[in-house]
Amino acid sequence: MDGLTDLEGFSVEIAEHVAVVTMRRPPVNAQNRRFREEIIRIFDTLHDLPEVRAIILTGEGRAFSAGADLKERPALADEPGAYPRHNRLVRASFDCVMECGTPVIAAINGPAIGAGCVLALCCDILVAGESAFLSMTEVDVGLAGGVRHVIRHFGQSDARLMIHTARRITGPELLRMNVVSACVPDAALMDTARGIAREIAAKVPLATRAAQRSFMLTEELPLHDGYRYEQSQTVALSTTEDTKEAQRAFAEKRKPVFKGR
């Protein structure tokens, strides 16, 4: 994979149309400038790889990501323009996941705190190990941020409780709140994520990408406009080779062979 051979904080493995992106910045996968630059490069690259049909994002070791590396922060206030540049990079490190044309599954293997929590919430499908938790600790360290991401997944009262108290919301509670799609024993987490990824990878690739665009573009649209856009996607897909192959395979009761066109 061109451009992904000199990573310091990540590893990327691709097999059977599934990419596994693993954060590897011990001890707790804290996010610094290099981390953010690399994650942008990774997801921009995977976005453009047609052979990748699903992505899993997880952390190595005992944490998903413990959030921002606060050791970088004090120097930011000393240099004019440092905070705007920093904030722009932080936003981009989240946007590259949210805007990826390929569905992203968060396999939350441990604490996901602050920026780590936001990173998990940027993914399309969330699964958690039983020992995992989400927490927004900004109020504990005199910072702010993440509210808009939190209220995409949590109810209003739960979102405010989480932000204002910095409580840890554990895997079983996240499942009860419908924030994650599954909460499984830690040892089963990656198998669960891979199972979901393989299901996605088996579908019509162009249709999966069209659905991904619909999720991104219709979230803030009125119902009529959003559904009208989705109908236009169906019209565009109807003439593609893969859609015709999917329909032939269904009629012939066989496994389809997709070419991504």
Side-chain angles (χ1 to χ4, degrees):
M1 291 174 290
D2 293 340
L4 301 182
T5 58
D6 61 340
L7 300 172
E8 292 182 1
F10 293 84
S11 68
V12 181
E13 299 175 0
I14 299 176
E16 299 179 330
H17 302 296
V18 174
V20 178
V21 179
T22 305
M23 295 174 276
R24 287 182 166 170
R25 190 166 185 263
V28 290
N29 300 318
Q31 302 174 29
N32 63 358
R33 179 175 178 176
R34 174 80 185 205
F35 178 105
R36 295 182 179 107
E37 290 172 344
E38 288 189 353
I39 198 170
I40 292 167
R41 185 149 48 104
I42 290 166
F43 276 89
D44 285 352
T45 300
L46 295 179
H47 172 87
D48 281 345
L49 291 181
E51 65 267 30
V52 175
R53 301 178 185 175
I55 301 168
I56 298 170
L57 177 63
T58 194
E60 184 178 71
R62 60 186 179 87
F64 180 80
S65 172
D69 188 341
L70 296 181
K71 295 190 295 292
E72 281 192 341
R73 223 169 255 278
L76 289 172
D78 300 333
E79 179 188 346
Y83 253 115
R85 287 194 298 273
H86 169 77
N87 287 342
R88 192 176 300 115
L89 180 62
V90 170
R91 291 196 302 273
S93 71
F94 298 143
D95 290 345
C96 70
V97 178
M98 291 185 67
E99 296 173 1
C100 187
T102 301
V104 183
I105 302 161
I108 309 169
N109 58 297
I113 302 170
C117 175
V118 172
L119 186 57
L121 296 177
C122 287
C123 297
D124 299 296
I125 299 169
L126 280 62
V127 294
E130 290 178 343
S131 68
F133 66 83
L134 300 184
S135 180
M136 295 297 294
T137 57
E138 277 70 5
V139 294
D140 284 339
V141 291
L143 300 174
V147 168
R148 187 63 187 87
H149 287 279
V150 168
I151 61 176
R152 290 180 67 239
H153 293 269
F154 288 80
Q156 289 290 335
S157 179
D158 288 331
R160 284 166 168 77
L161 180 70
M162 184 182 192
I163 293 291
H164 291 314
T165 67
R167 284 188 186 179
R168 298 179 176 185
I169 313 297
T170 63
E173 278 295 282
L174 293 169
L175 182 63
R176 182 187 65 79
M177 294 174 174
N178 294 319
V179 174
V180 300
S181 296
C183 177
V184 298
D186 294 347
L189 177 64
M190 287 305 295
D191 283 345
T192 300
R194 288 180 191 277
I196 295 170
R198 284 194 292 267
E199 283 188 69
I200 294 170
K203 308 306 180 186
V204 181
L206 292 177
T208 298
R209 283 190 166 255
Q212 188 76 341
R213 286 193 297 272
S214 292
F215 275 111
M216 287 187 286
L217 294 174
T218 65
E219 185 174 2
E220 303 297 332
L221 289 179
L223 174 61
H224 177 271
D225 294 339
Y227 189 57
R228 183 176 179 181
Y229 170 78
E230 292 184 66
Q231 288 179 312
S232 74
Q233 294 289 282
T234 294
V235 172
L237 285 167
S238 65
T239 59
T240 64
E241 290 184 28
D242 277 357
T243 292
K244 294 175 182 178
E245 165 64 7
Q247 293 173 358
R248 283 194 301 268
F250 179 80
E252 296 167 7
K253 296 181 173 58
R254 61 172 174 83
K255 185 177 180 179
V257 178
F258 298 128
K259 299 179 179 178
R261 59 180 186 265

